[in-house]
Amino acid sequence: MLGAGLGAALLKAAEAESELPQVQKRQPVTVDAAEVEVASVEARVDTVVSGGGAPFSRRERQVLEQVAAGATSAEIAERLHISIHTVKNHRKSILRKAGCRNSGQLVSRCAALGLI
């Protein structure tokens, strides 16, 4: 009986595999210099993150650019059309991820890495 149960299980597994959608092979994509520069900057952003933390999100990078430009949280909120509380949360998250204690240290570190 055990053999029959195993055979049935293998048959069901084979049937399930045949029902999986077929994956199409991707076509090669050409990349221009601007896309390479964006990828390079994103890789450098990831190096800012200390201790294996998560990389900066797209919105965190936008906030970081504004901080580096000297904008206040209120100005950043207005420019990005988000709440000032959201900006403050992004700033805290950026500082935590970068292992920095204040905005000056953060901007200095990012400038040294060529992020800003």
Side-chain angles (χ1 to χ4, degrees), residues 35-111:
E35 290 179 40
V36 171
E37 177 62 23
V38 168
S40 173
V41 168
E42 288 177 353
R44 286 181 285 180
V45 167
D46 293 346
T47 63
V48 172
V49 179
S50 65
F56 295 142
S57 69
R58 179 184 57 82
R59 184 60 95 179
E60 288 170 341
R61 289 192 298 264
Q62 291 173 335
V63 170
L64 175 59
E65 289 171 7
Q66 295 295 316
V67 168
T72 65
S73 291
E75 292 169 335
I76 295 170
E78 185 177 323
R79 291 175 187 168
L80 299 180
H81 307 287
I82 56 178
S83 160
I84 191 167
H85 301 292
T86 302
V87 173
K88 290 180 180 183
N89 283 332
H90 283 310
R91 289 177 76 138
K92 284 184 218 176
S93 179
I94 292 166
L95 290 170
R96 179 183 45 80
K97 287 179 179 182
C100 297
R101 297 163 99 189
N102 56 50
S103 296
Q105 186 181 23
L106 175 68
V107 170
S108 175
R109 179 175 288 175
C110 291

Side-chain angles (χ1 to χ4, degrees), residues 19-31:
E19 293 176 6
L20 292 175
Q22 296 299 317
V23 179
Q24 295 180 354
K25 191 173 182 181
R26 293 180 129 184
Q27 297 297 320
V29 177
T30 58
V31 179

